[in-house]
Amino acid sequence: MDTSESSTEAKRHPSAQAGGASQEPAPSQEPAPETGDERPGAIHEEAAERPASAPRTGWRRWAMDTRPLRRPAYRRLWSSTIVTAVGSQLTAVAVPKQIYDITGSSAWVGYASLAGLVPMVVFALWGGAVADTMDRRRLLLITNTGIAVTSVLFWAQAATGLDSVAVLMVLLAAQQAFFGLNSPARNASIARLVPAGELPAANALGSTVMQTGLVAGPLLAGALIPVIGLPELYLIDALALCVTLWAVFRLPALPPLGEAAARRAGVRQIAEGFRYISGHKVLLLSFLADIVAMVLGMPRALFPQLAAQTYAPYGEGLALGLLFAAIPVGAVLGGLFSGTFSRARRHGWMVIGAVVGWGAAITGFGLSGNLWLAVAFLAAAGLADMISMVFRGAILLSAATDEMRGRMQGVFTVVVAGGPRLADVLHGTAGSAFGPRAAVAGGGLLVVAVMLLLATVMPALRRYRI
């Protein structure tokens, strides 16, 4: 499902190959998590051998599981995310705002979004292959430096009053290309930094931070633009990326395992990744679950129409803001109380239940004529989205070998970016034909029906556990 992009996973290989994907995966024999306690590349053998923590009691059973933060390397990577989750949203607000100020046209804002999407998709697929053939720490340093440089260039063009849409679109395309290269390496690295049993918790920690950034970043940008102006927003993002670079520099080396270092990243390696997915039904179903949930059930394209028509008595501006904020707020709440589910072992059933819950909540939203009830259903959908992100991410890392994890994360980045955009087209068209509430409710029901059908006819996901 949607997300931002921070999935985490485990260390198991599926014994289920094509034709036998219903078998449960066997544990992988990878090295212990690399904690970075001493020097880059050092492996702290005790990280995976520490005795299991005592069962949590009372309110702690409900609170976020913070065990992964005991791993110094993961803690550095996660702490850098706190800064960039907000900083990146400042740029995400500033770019369309500046383009609209220059052109006065929302169409140009849409063209800019497309200019960023295409290179991100292309370079995410290639970046996944690159992440499987070179030191991931080195790749993170290169790509984060590239993102920081583009942020500085954004600041420079705004500070000098260049007012060129072409320059903005080129910079946006470059920044999204660097992001496409960065994301697979970042996500694939987590399985080398924490043990398998803590991957759902690590994923919940990362997803909570990213969802918080989706809420706090735009609010902060809206408050700062009238005070400091657009150029300074870009500069704040660039400075935040310096913190990220320092955190990545402190990570241990993460070279490819086995024979992966001898390969080059190209079209052949990308194709191998897709063949790997088709041969491992658990991985294929994890991607299909996200596509089903997002394409059929993400109704954000209809929020403006619903705010202007169905919820107009509450005030169009208030309604629109609440509708857009409800899903990420629900996801953040789910992350804060992720201790209730992050230790679950039946990852497949957690994904199925979360996607069905998402569809049911979206159906309830479509049937709601009351704004506050609608917001409650969207928040419940956000909670389901968080659970799905946590366990789909865990499956991607635990059911794939390390030499394939980069490519799996590359495909994941494309699915996460592309699914909601396809949903915008589908829901916009259906809303015009059948009305917004009918389109939303119908999409939610389709999510429930298709997910249950997939779980029935392809049992591999139901049987997957760690």
Side-chain angles (χ1 to χ4, degrees), residues 99 105-116 169:
I99 289 175
S105 170
S106 294
W108 275 105
V109 176
Y111 300 150
S113 177
L114 183 63
M169 293 179 74

Side-chain angles (χ1 to χ4, degrees), residues 176-389:
Q176 290 303 297
F178 280 118
F179 174 79
L181 289 167
N182 176 279
S183 185
R186 185 183 187 89
N187 293 334
S189 298
I190 296 173
R192 300 271 291 274
L193 304 180
V194 300
E198 296 178 11
L199 284 168
N203 205 16
L205 284 164
S207 296
T208 301
V209 167
M210 296 305 297
Q211 291 293 331
T212 301
L214 289 176
V215 176
L219 290 175
L220 183 61
L224 289 177
I225 287 174
V227 179
I228 63 176
L230 284 174
E232 283 68 24
L233 287 188
Y234 294 127
L235 187 59
I236 291 172
D237 187 20
L239 294 175
L241 284 161
C242 294
V243 176
T244 299
L245 281 169
W246 174 246
V248 172
F249 178 76
R250 297 288 305 281
L251 291 177
L254 298 167
L257 303 177
E259 300 176 357
R263 297 196 302 262
R264 289 187 176 182
V267 174
R268 180 179 177 183
Q269 283 66 42
I270 295 172
E272 285 178 358
F274 283 104
R275 285 195 296 270
Y276 190 84
I277 292 171
S278 65
H280 294 76
K281 290 187 174 63
V282 169
L283 295 172
L284 177 62
L285 285 167
S286 73
F287 286 118
L288 288 178
D290 187 42
I291 292 170
V292 167
M294 287 295 103
V295 174
L296 299 179
M298 172 52 80
R300 67 183 186 186
L302 297 173
F303 286 171
Q305 186 177 357
L306 288 165
Q309 297 177 3
T310 305
Y311 307 119
Y314 298 87
E316 183 178 351
L318 173 65
L320 187 61
L322 288 174
L323 293 179
F324 273 105
I327 291 178
V329 167
V332 170
L333 291 175
L336 294 177
F337 293 97
S338 58
T340 57
F341 57 80
S342 63
R343 295 174 186 249
R345 298 179 63 85
R346 294 185 177 274
H347 290 186
W349 272 114
M350 294 300 291
V351 171
I352 294 168
V355 173
V356 170
W358 164 271
I362 293 300
T363 301
F365 165 58
L367 298 175
S368 300
N370 180 281
L371 175 62
W372 304 109
L373 185 60
V375 168
F377 274 119
L378 286 177
L383 169 62
D385 189 23
M386 170 62 74
I387 296 173
S388 175
M389 281 191 289

Side-chain angles (χ1 to χ4, degrees), residues 92-117:
V93 171
V95 170
K97 165 66 174 167
Q98 188 177 3
I99 289 175
Y100 185 80
D101 287 346
I102 295 171
T103 65
S105 170
S106 294
W108 275 105
V109 176
Y111 300 150
S113 177
L114 183 63
L117 175 63

